[in-house]
Amino acid sequence: MSSKQTILGRVTQLAKANIHALLDQAEDPQKMLDQLVRDYTENIGEAEAAIAQTIGNLRLMEDDHREDVESAAEWGRKALAASQKADALRAAGDTADADKFDNLAKVALGRQLDYEKEAETAEPTIAAQQQSVDKLKDGLAKMRDKLDELRRKRDELVARAKAAQAQTQVHDALKSIDVMDPTSEVSRFEEKVRREEARVRGAEELAASSLDAQFESLDDVADDAEVAARLAALKSKAPA
């Protein structure tokens, strides 16, 4: 297999790569994308160098073809000039010199024919080479598009991973201050406050019950005084 065919095959294969399918099969998509970016970048660099060489070879062939065409035209002009000179000499009666210039015209025509054959032979090769260069350029453009897609996918994945990490951090932070979470600091502090409030209420109830008992004892003293007063009144009404 020629170098050109190898390059074309590699470019075509990479350009047709299904990134989504590759990601679906990957255990770590981000690492795979990083590796793919490196591989594509390396292969694009190699393809660019090879394609540049291929284009350079094509331009050399085109230069040679152009020189052959120009040389054929130049020898055609020389053949014409020699033929015209021979005709003029022959018209003047100088047959010997006329024959010499006719021979020169024949030589020039032979050279013209050689260059035309060279140019004609090169034309199919140049056309085929141009088609290959066009395919290589197209494949390279697709590879560059794939590389851009890979980079976008990688950047998107990294951004999503960072967003998910940030959401996790926010969730953890909110969880630490969630009043409904019995393990949170706020809930523990609230429970401490509630116990203190209950203790205060208990002390108030205890103080209230003691005060009621004191008032009840006062009521007993008042009743005894009333009974004594009423007894004294009864005695004062008794007959002498």
Side-chain angles (χ1 to χ4, degrees):
M1 180 178 291
S2 69
S3 175
K4 179 180 66 179
Q5 291 173 324
T6 302
I7 297 166
L8 182 58
R10 188 195 315 168
V11 168
T12 303
Q13 182 179 7
L14 288 172
K16 291 182 178 179
N18 189 330
I19 295 174
H20 296 285
L22 292 174
L23 290 178
D24 289 341
Q25 299 171 4
E27 295 183 2
D28 190 334
Q30 182 176 344
K31 286 185 178 179
M32 183 174 187
L33 283 171
D34 287 339
Q35 185 60 49
L36 282 173
V37 168
R38 288 192 292 270
D39 291 344
Y40 263 69
T41 302
E42 180 179 351
N43 279 281
I44 286 175
E46 293 177 358
E48 287 174 340
I51 293 171
Q53 182 63 51
T54 302
I55 293 173
N57 293 337
L58 173 60
R59 298 298 174 250
L60 286 175
M61 292 174 63
E62 290 174 339
D63 290 342
D64 291 342
H65 177 266
R66 184 167 50 254
E67 289 178 3
D68 288 340
V69 171
E70 291 174 354
S71 295
E74 178 64 23
W75 282 108
R77 288 190 293 271
K78 290 180 178 179
L80 178 60
S83 176
Q84 290 174 342
K85 181 67 174 178
D87 292 342
L89 289 172
R90 189 170 285 107
D94 191 350
T95 305
D97 286 338
D99 289 342
K100 290 181 181 179
F101 276 98
D102 276 338
N103 288 332
L104 286 175
K106 290 178 181 179
V107 171
L109 288 171
R111 296 286 182 89
Q112 181 187 36
L113 183 61
D114 289 340
Y115 280 112
E116 286 177 348
K117 288 181 178 179
E118 293 255 350
E120 185 178 354
T121 301
E123 286 173 0
T125 305
I126 291 174
Q129 190 81 345
Q130 183 62 59
Q131 289 181 353
S132 296
V133 167
D134 292 340
K135 289 180 180 179
L136 288 169
K137 285 181 176 180
D138 182 65
L140 184 59
K142 290 179 179 178
M143 283 180 64
R144 287 168 175 162
D145 290 341
K146 285 288 185 179
L147 180 58
D148 290 339
E149 181 183 355
L150 280 170
R151 286 171 174 162
R152 287 194 300 270
K153 287 288 184 183
R154 180 190 60 186
D155 295 343
E156 176 187 350
L157 189 63
V158 171
R160 287 170 57 189
K162 290 182 178 178
Q165 183 180 6
Q167 289 177 348
T168 300
Q169 292 174 346
V170 170
H171 175 74
D172 293 342
L174 290 175
K175 185 177 179 181
S176 67
I177 60 173
D178 185 0
V179 295
M180 300 301 293
D181 184 359
T183 63
S184 70
E185 295 297 329
V186 174
S187 294
R188 286 195 289 269
F189 180 68
E190 181 183 13
E191 182 63 24
K192 181 178 179 180
V193 172
R194 290 179 67 246
R195 287 196 297 269
E196 181 63 19
E197 290 174 344
R199 186 192 66 77
V200 172
R201 287 199 303 271
E204 289 176 347
E205 289 181 12
L206 180 60
S209 62
S210 175
L211 186 62
D212 289 341
Q214 293 178 21
F215 277 107
E216 287 176 0
S217 65
L218 290 176
D219 290 340
D220 292 341
V221 172
D223 290 342
D224 291 343
E226 180 63 23
V227 169
R230 291 187 179 189
L231 179 60
L234 290 173
K235 289 185 178 294
S236 64
K237 294 178 181 179

